[in-house]
Amino acid sequence: MKFLAVHPGPLMYTKVFLRLEPLGLELVATAAEQAGHEVKMIDLQAETHQDYFRMINRWKPDVIGFSCNYLANVPEIIDLAKATKEKLPNSFIFVGGHSASFIAHEFLEQAGGAIACVLKGEGEAMIAPLLNAIKQGHRAILQVPGVVTLDGQGPPPIFVENLDDITANRNLLRHRRRYFIGVLDPCASIEFSRGCPWDCVFCSAWTFYGRSYRVKSTESIVAELEQIKEPGIFIVDDVAFVQAKHGFEIGEAIARKGIKKNYYLETRGDVLLRNTDVFRFWKTLGLKYMFLGVEAIDEEGLKKFRKRVTLSKNFEALECARSLGITVAINIIADPDWDKERFETIRQWCLEIPEIVNISVNTPYPGTEIWRTESRQLTTRDYRLFDIQHAVLPTKLPLNEFYEELVKTQQVLNKKHLGMKALKATAKIAARHLLKGQTNFVKMLWKFNSVYDPKLLLADHEKPVTYEIYLPPKPEEKVDRNTLFIHTPAGRQGRAIDNSTEAFVDETRMGSNV
């Protein structure tokens, strides 16, 4: 069969700071290709809707699969699915991905028949059975794990049996040089592990993966790195180097092979402190940039988000990263109940530290615990606003003032790390990029003000709502956490110890199996 894999367009943050290779969809497309199907990909972060329609008109795929990892992409995907169905009425259209897995029935209902099914969970494990079942008809489709249709669903989704079995065919993307993150331009993505052993209330990684944590083998990772041409590598793991042994083994193998790359990764402050030697070793291998999910600068905020790390440990982790010579970006979650004084406190703190500070807005997402506890308070149900840059819960300040304070706070990042000041600081890097025809990083330096504007944010609320988020049933006094999961919960395997704010992870219980 002819299968077209489609990644939707960019969100606010990705219009400025990054454009990442859609590795998850690449893996799904590769699994379909390995099963004998003819496969193409298009990424609407790097191409246009006109490119998409030109492709389907010329190639006429039998099956179109959309990736939906973010709620804000739901309207775009539904509109494209409806338009595609008009042009190719016999095509089979489905949606998969992180967010789609948590809103499967709602997605299908609002698509009005344009989308045949949602494939929940890890698509790589189920794409081949789904494509084979499509040939056989509706009854066979309902036997595929993870499938949800308007009139039934298949067995529960299954995991990829072994992460070593899936390596992306990186020739499927047509514009690889358009991917970047900060100064890493161009930049490819790679996966060392999958899942997260923590259970923060604002995050759905642990509910999507059923509390599991799996790792790829060192041999598989190094073989993949040897095939990647880009000089920059973004490690997509939710928390990098949870297992010190795994991190050392990969690094030692990279050193033996003489692989030279620049790396960007995400981790937690407590993991950095516990496994400092791993990160120090990786600094010698090319680790340049690190993202730390600090989330709050007070103990109350950390407790609210259930980060299971103390404030002092987070600050200690920042000092540790500085001592290693690694450039750090951190995230702070702006709560809708912040007032002007709180925003000013955050701004002053951001100005006092050298790190790059990103401000996101506390947003209930399906699959998170705060979705169960706070979604009844939503002030909007417009999917487009669920991008962690808009306020969808009641704000203490009038909404226009909230956005003014939010953007004023985000402007700290712009003044410190973008524009002419950043260009002067990175002149040699920028020159090297330009000489190679890479303009992503340089263009990024000037985009902030055109994207982050209080008037634009407020105007987004005034646009007609096309598709609305459905609210979950009213929660009981205590959240039934088992209702959150896509995959069957794996108990305490691979989880942080609940009683410990140090979030010590028992590595002997976190192997490569679910």
Side-chain angles (χ1 to χ4, degrees):
M1 298 184 76
K2 294 163 73 174
F3 170 49
L4 176 61
V6 186
H7 191 282
L11 303 180
M12 273 186 66
Y13 191 78
T14 58
K15 288 178 181 178
V16 180
F17 303 107
L18 53 85
R19 187 187 300 118
L20 294 178
E21 174 185 2
L23 181 60
L25 187 61
E26 274 183 301
L27 290 169
V28 172
T30 302
E33 191 176 53
Q34 290 174 344
H37 301 280
E38 189 178 352
V39 176
K40 288 189 177 183
M41 273 190 74
I42 185 167
D43 180 4
L44 298 178
Q45 297 179 111
E47 301 193 56
T48 67
H49 287 180
Q50 289 76 17
D51 295 322
Y52 167 77
F53 286 114
R54 193 178 299 117
M55 179 178 281
I56 66 168
N57 286 335
R58 291 177 179 174
W59 194 50
K60 294 182 171 48
D62 304 304
V63 180
I64 298 102
F66 289 92
S67 171
C68 184
N69 288 321
Y70 302 101
L71 284 182
N73 285 129
V74 169
E76 177 191 10
I77 291 171
I78 293 178
D79 285 344
L80 287 174
K82 288 180 176 180
T84 302
K85 202 66 178 173
E86 289 182 6
K87 293 178 181 295
L88 299 176
N90 295 324
S91 62
F92 184 97
I93 302 174
F94 75 96
V95 180
H98 194 102
S99 282
S101 296
F102 290 107
I103 58 165
H105 285 287
E106 294 89 337
F107 218 133
L108 293 167
E109 289 179 15
Q110 297 197 40
I115 297 172
C117 76
V118 168
L119 190 62
K120 297 169 63 175
E122 296 184 341
E124 308 98 317
M126 298 167 288
I127 183 62
L130 174 62
L131 293 176
N132 291 333
I134 290 169
K135 301 176 186 177
Q136 302 171 43
H138 186 68
R139 187 171 296 179
I141 291 170
L142 288 178
Q143 301 305 309
V144 177
V147 158
V148 178
T149 70
L150 282 174
D151 57 357
Q153 62 184 49
I158 58 176
F159 280 115
V160 172
E161 191 169 322
N162 187 335
L163 295 182
D164 288 354
D165 295 338
I166 51 170
T167 299
N169 175 2
R170 297 176 188 273
N171 295 316
L172 288 171
L173 285 169
R174 302 195 293 184
H175 301 287
R176 294 201 56 84
R177 295 179 68 84
R178 295 183 183 176
Y179 300 109
F180 77 103
I181 179 168
V183 300
L184 299 189
D185 179 16
C187 182
S189 295
I190 193 169
E191 178 182 55
F192 291 177
S193 67
R194 187 174 291 188
C196 180
W198 285 269
D199 57 355
C200 301
V201 299
F202 58 84
C203 181
S204 56
W206 60 284
T207 58
F208 183 85
Y209 293 112
R211 293 196 179 111
S212 68
Y213 180 85
R214 293 163 289 162
V215 299
K216 294 190 74 168
S217 72
T218 296
E219 295 75 19
S220 174
I221 291 167
V222 173
E224 189 171 353
L225 277 171
E226 286 185 298
Q227 298 301 313
I228 294 176
K229 298 176 182 178
E230 288 84 354
I233 301 289
F234 178 64
I235 301 170
V236 302
D237 302 23
D238 291 300
V239 184
F241 304 145
V242 172
Q243 295 181 347
K245 181 181 178 183
H246 190 232
F248 272 124
E249 288 176 349
I250 300 168
E252 288 164 354
I254 288 172
R256 287 195 298 271
K257 291 285 186 177
I259 298 172
K260 303 295 183 183
K261 303 286 186 183
N262 291 323
Y263 299 92
Y264 191 124
L265 57 76
E266 300 183 3
T267 194
R268 288 170 53 102
D270 46 2
V271 173
L272 171 58
L273 292 175
R274 188 172 63 249
N275 297 335
T276 302
D277 288 344
V278 179
F279 293 91
R280 181 179 293 110
F281 178 39
W282 270 79
K283 178 68 170 65
T284 68
L285 300 174
L287 175 58
K288 302 289 188 182
Y289 308 94
M290 177 188 301
F291 184 90
L292 288 176
V294 172
E295 322 307 359
I297 62 170
D298 58 11
E299 295 287 4
E300 182 181 351
L302 291 172
K303 184 177 181 181
K304 178 178 181 179
F305 299 134
R306 201 165 60 219
K307 283 292 293 184
R308 304 192 190 281
V309 62
T310 63
L311 188 63
S312 62
K313 286 295 182 184
N314 269 345
F315 290 164
E316 186 181 345
L318 292 179
E319 289 289 349
C320 176
R322 293 167 194 159
S323 71
L324 295 177
I326 299 172
T327 300
V328 177
I330 65 177
N331 185 65
I332 298 294
I333 299 176
D335 203 79
D337 67 3
W338 281 9
D339 56 18
K340 290 187 177 183
E341 183 180 354
R342 183 61 176 165
F343 273 112
E344 180 59 28
T345 299
I346 297 296
R347 277 195 294 273
Q348 291 304 313
W349 184 78
C350 293
L351 286 168
E352 291 168 1
I353 64 171
E355 283 74 26
I356 300 166
V357 183
N358 173 63
I359 310 290
S360 60
V361 181
N362 190 14
T363 305
Y365 248 57
T368 65
E369 222 168 282
I370 57 172
W371 172 252
R372 289 285 177 175
T373 58
E374 297 185 31
S375 58
R376 305 300 296 187
Q377 305 175 48
L378 291 174
T379 57
T380 178
R381 290 189 287 162
D382 186 343
Y383 281 108
R384 294 170 298 190
L385 301 180
F386 284 73
D387 60 356
I388 67 173
Q389 300 298 315
H390 290 80
V392 298
L393 291 171
T395 55
K396 186 173 184 177
L397 292 169
L399 189 58
N400 64 316
E401 293 183 24
F402 179 86
Y403 282 140
E404 287 171 4
E405 292 294 324
L406 176 67
V407 173
K408 192 187 299 184
T409 308
Q410 291 168 326
Q411 276 284 0
V412 173
L413 182 154
N414 184 29
K415 292 175 182 176
K416 288 172 59 180
H417 303 286
L418 301 176
M420 187 58 69
K421 184 175 182 180
L423 186 59
K424 290 178 180 178
T426 59
K428 290 183 179 179
I429 296 173
R432 284 199 300 269
H433 290 332
L434 292 173
L435 286 172
K436 295 176 181 178
Q438 289 298 123
T439 61
N440 298 307
F441 167 66
V442 176
K443 287 180 178 178
M444 174 197 83
L445 299 177
W446 313 104
K447 286 184 177 180
F448 185 92
N449 289 326
S450 65
V451 175
Y452 288 85
D453 182 332
K455 293 179 181 177
L456 294 177
L457 288 165
L458 195 61
D460 288 338
H461 289 261
E462 304 302 322
K463 294 178 181 178
V465 179
T466 51
Y467 308 105
E468 289 189 334
I469 285 178
Y470 291 8
L471 295 180
K474 191 172 182 179
E476 304 297 333
E477 273 187 37
K478 187 174 182 181
V479 176
D480 177 6
R481 299 172 86 198
N482 285 336
T483 64
L484 298 171
F485 294 99
I486 293 298
H487 290 95
T488 303
R492 293 181 57 83
Q493 179 179 346
R495 292 188 61 211
I497 295 174
D498 291 331
N499 301 344
S500 173
T501 56
E502 297 287 329
F504 175 79
V505 179
D506 182 356
E507 292 192 356
T508 64
R509 301 168 67 185
M510 298 175 62
S512 58
N513 298 320
V514 176

